[in-house]
Each structure stands twice: as structure tokens, then as C-alpha cells.
Amino acid sequence: MILLLLLIISTATRLRTYFLTRKIEAVLQGLSEIRLDQTTEEQMTKMLPYFTERDWKAGGFSYRSYYVHISNESDGSPWPYGLTHSFALALWLGRVGELLGYRYINFDAGVLVRDGKVTQADYGLANQWIRPQAAGYVGYMVTTRSVHGFWLPGSLQISSVDDYSPQYRPTRWGNTLAVIYTSDAPPELTKRIFGLNLSCFWGLRACADAADIAPEISQDVETIQKATYRQLISDKCPDSIIEGRMRYLPDVSVLLLEVTGSRRLKVNEEGARAEDWFTDYKLKEALRGKSFGSWENVRFQRTIPSPMDPSRQIANQIWPETKIGQEVLYFGGLGFYSCRFIPATPSALDIVRNSPMPVKRPEDQIPRGLL
């Protein structure tokens, strides 16, 4: 009788979670069909089930917001922690519940509508308790957020991986995955964002890692990191990097400089012999933004963060031009990991001169809490 009772409890628990995942999958399917800045509000309301309307104001603009919250706990926290103040007892109860098929699941999603069309979409999926917050922020196991561009008051760091794949930016942090994608990202990339495997919430095996839920996104992280590394060791900065910066970074400044001098100095680093390059430049034109400071004795950055692990450093193999009379493009205003100095080829100059200035939209501001 005890075994039968446990089986009934386990089956009922798993069935409840299964039906919740079906609701989440219906929302994800609707989100995958949305085309930012194209899908109308009327079309969106037919695509997305379970959403509730509310208004949102920012930066002097008024948006219509729609959101949905799906969880197997009404107060947003797992049931053991509401029964006892003892963390050890709650942890033990949680393990028992997991054996019986109970898996905490929390899903939040939202869209913003401006001028009658969808301008932003995001979602966050959690398998552990977090404080209530908007989808797309730290604390979720898998999260995604759309943008038109990238800007932040103050300093914004642009990694080599961001430069290589500006439209589709999957990131792994611990056992979590986050994706930021642009409004014009190719559908063949964005469809991977919404194809989650939620069976670990109700199946025999629990969700231990975000890769269990989003294997394609996890694979994309490694693929893009490896491709970025190959680009860095190729000693080249392709025009695609310039195109991405011009299209999605409203705060970037671009200066046209000419090399006026270059020298190599031998340095004694605590007994070890090393060499440093110093280059002098002359400002020829501020193509975007303003020039600042002196362009003499510019030091070559010998190491940069690794695309495989930003906490580690690798040798910077992309050397700037040092021949007197050579023209280069300098990219400033933001913290670029690599390709700050790029040869001023005709194609590079054409991209910079003919690219329109991106618009700073309030909904695109990257919060510091975003992965």
C-alpha cells in the first residue's frame, strides 16, 4: 500500500509538471514565430497564449507590455522552504520530493510593444528558487533577451566573441546559459533559442545543467568560441567585425590615424628580457565620435582575454600597422578585447563612412544584472 501510494503521488506530481511544461512550450512556440519590429500587436496576441497586459514607461517612451508567469509554486518558492525554517530539513525534504518526481519549475516571459509592433521579447527558465525579477536576468537556468543594439551608461565591454558573432550571443556561466540576439538575427539561429527540452522537469532524470535543457545553445557557445579563437590566431580582423560594430554599438568612436613613427624597446622585467612596441600616430579624421588625448607612444597590448575563458589571457597575435605612412582605424569609446587598431582598407573605410548611426532605444540598455 505504501509503495502504491508513493507511485500515485509520483505520477500525479510528474503529470502536473508535464502539463506545465506543455504550457511553457506553447509560449516558446509563439515567441519563436514573432518577428521583431514586424509582428503587430494584434498578431502577437494570437500567437502568445496566457499573457497578461500591462503598461511600461522608460526614457520618456510609453510601451505596452505583455508577460506570463508559469510555476508549480504559487508564491514563487519551492514547497520545502515554506514548511520549515531549517535549511537542512528543507534540503532533505527537497531531495525526497525530487525522488518522487517533484522538480521546481519557474518560467517568466515578456514582450514589449511600441507603435503597434513588437519591439522586444525575453524569457527566463529556472529550476531553483530566485527572487522575482524580469525574464532575461541572472538567476535563471536558461534565459534570452532581444535587442536592437548594445549600450550602457558608462563602460561597456565588447569581447572578441561578441565581435565575432554580434547578432547571436550565447554565453555560458557555470551551469547556466544566456542568449542575447539582435532584432535582425537570422531565423535559423533564433529558432534554436526557443527549442528547449523540458522533459527533465518531469522525467526520471532531473535538470542538472542548462545543457540538458538547451543542448543546441550549449553547442553554439563552444562552436562560436572556437571560431573566434581561429580568427584571433589568423592575424586578421575581417570586415564583418567592423560591420557589427557600426550596426549595433551606438557609443563606438572611430578615428582615422596615420603612423608617424614606431620603435621596439627592450625591457627588463625583473631579470627577464622582453620587447615592447611603441607607435606614434597623427589624427587625420574623426569618422565617428571625438578624438581624445595624445596619440604618441601607443603601446601594443601583448595579451588579451581568451575567447574560451575570459579569466585567462592569451597572446595577442593581431599586431597593429607600424610602417610609417600607413593609415589605421582606431575603435574607442568601449572596452574592446581585440581589433582596436584595424588597417584602413578601402572596404573598411567604406563601411564606417556609409553606416548609419544606430539609435539608442531605452529597451535595449544592457542592465548590469544581465548575463
Side-chain angles (χ1 to χ4, degrees):
M1 289 296 294
I2 294 176
L3 291 176
L4 179 60
L5 178 61
L6 293 176
L7 178 61
I8 293 174
I9 293 174
S10 177
T11 303
T13 303
R14 295 178 193 276
L15 281 175
R16 182 193 177 207
T17 307
Y18 171 78
F19 288 118
L20 286 178
T21 61
R22 295 294 293 173
K23 293 177 67 174
I24 294 173
E25 288 169 351
V27 172
L28 291 172
Q29 176 61 33
L31 289 173
S32 69
E33 296 174 357
I34 287 178
R35 297 294 173 261
L36 297 172
D37 303 319
Q38 299 179 33
T39 301
T40 65
E41 182 175 7
E42 182 180 0
Q43 292 172 330
M44 180 272 298
T45 55
K46 296 179 181 178
M47 295 177 180
L48 298 178
Y50 317 118
F51 274 66
T52 302
E53 178 185 340
R54 64 181 176 186
D55 292 331
W56 184 71
K57 294 183 179 180
F61 295 97
S62 179
Y63 301 80
R64 203 183 324 276
S65 171
Y66 292 83
Y67 74 99
V68 63
H69 172 77
I70 301 173
S71 177
N72 54 2
E73 295 294 342
S74 59
D75 61 356
S77 61
W79 65 272
Y81 300 96
L83 295 178
T84 175
H85 296 292
S86 171
F87 178 78
L89 179 58
L91 185 62
W92 182 82
L93 290 174
R95 290 175 177 172
V96 172
E98 184 174 305
L99 291 174
L100 293 177
Y102 173 84
R103 315 279 167 65
Y104 176 70
I105 184 170
N106 181 66
F107 178 81
D108 295 289
V111 296
L112 290 180
V113 175
R114 181 182 174 191
D115 299 329
K117 293 184 179 179
V118 177
T119 185
Q120 187 186 79
D122 59 21
Y123 77 75
L125 177 70
N127 73 330
Q128 57 185 348
W129 181 79
I130 57 173
R131 289 185 175 87
Q133 54 187 323
Y137 288 76
V138 171
Y140 291 94
M141 198 173 193
V142 181
T143 180
T144 188
R145 183 175 188 260
S146 70
V147 297
H148 299 84
F150 302 87
W151 66 279
L152 174 71
S155 177
L156 179 64
Q157 297 295 314
I158 306 298
S159 71
S160 302
V161 175
D162 294 337
D163 266 335
Y164 182 85
S165 181
Q167 294 178 308
Y168 175 67
R169 301 184 176 185
T171 306
R172 183 176 183 91
W173 186 265
N175 68 337
T176 65
L177 290 169
V179 180
I180 302 178
Y181 67 100
T182 61
S183 56
D184 57 353
E188 59 267 22
L189 291 179
T190 58
K191 70 178 183 180
R192 304 163 75 86
I193 299 171
F194 305 102
L196 303 184
N197 178 15
L198 305 179
S199 61
C200 59
F201 283 98
W202 52 267
L204 295 177
R205 184 171 176 269
C207 308
D209 190 277
D212 299 333
I213 302 172
E216 288 188 319
I217 297 177
S218 180
Q219 182 181 1
D220 289 342
V221 172
E222 296 182 8
T223 300
I224 294 174
Q225 287 176 339
K226 292 178 181 178
T228 302
Y229 180 76
R230 289 194 296 269
Q231 179 258 307
L232 290 175
I233 65 175
S234 72
D235 194 24
K236 295 179 181 179
C237 295
D239 286 347
S240 58
I241 287 180
I242 304 175
E243 292 174 348
R245 291 176 177 180
M246 293 298 98
R247 182 178 297 181
Y248 304 114
L249 302 176
D251 292 321
V252 66
S253 61
V254 188
L255 307 179
L256 178 61
L257 306 175
E258 180 182 329
V259 179
T260 59
S262 180
R263 55 204 167 275
R264 182 175 62 181
L265 299 180
K266 293 184 178 180
V267 181
N268 186 330
E269 292 184 346
E270 299 182 358
R273 303 183 69 179
E275 292 182 343
D276 257 345
W277 279 93
F278 292 86
T279 307
D280 299 330
Y281 298 95
K282 177 179 67 175
L283 176 66
K284 296 197 67 175
E285 184 180 356
L287 301 176
R288 181 176 291 189
K290 297 180 180 180
S291 177
F292 54 90
S294 170
W295 292 102
E296 295 180 353
N297 295 318
V298 178
R299 182 184 181 187
F300 170 65
Q301 184 174 332
R302 291 183 298 173
T303 62
I304 58 176
S306 168
M308 312 301 292
D309 180 3
S311 65
R312 296 175 53 244
Q313 295 285 311
I314 62 172
N316 185 4
Q317 300 188 36
I318 302 178
W319 285 63
E321 294 286 344
T322 57
K323 185 178 179 180
I324 295 177
Q326 288 285 340
E327 292 184 346
V328 299
L329 293 175
Y330 170 77
F331 292 82
L334 302 172
F336 293 102
Y337 283 11
S338 57
C339 292
R340 277 187 175 272
F341 290 89
I342 295 179
T345 62
S347 60
L349 282 169
D350 183 67
I351 294 171
V352 175
R353 293 186 187 279
N354 297 319
S355 297
M357 177 72 75
V359 178
K360 282 187 176 183
R361 302 198 185 198
E363 68 269 25
D364 291 338
Q365 179 178 337
I366 303 300
R368 295 189 183 276
L370 191 69
L371 274 175

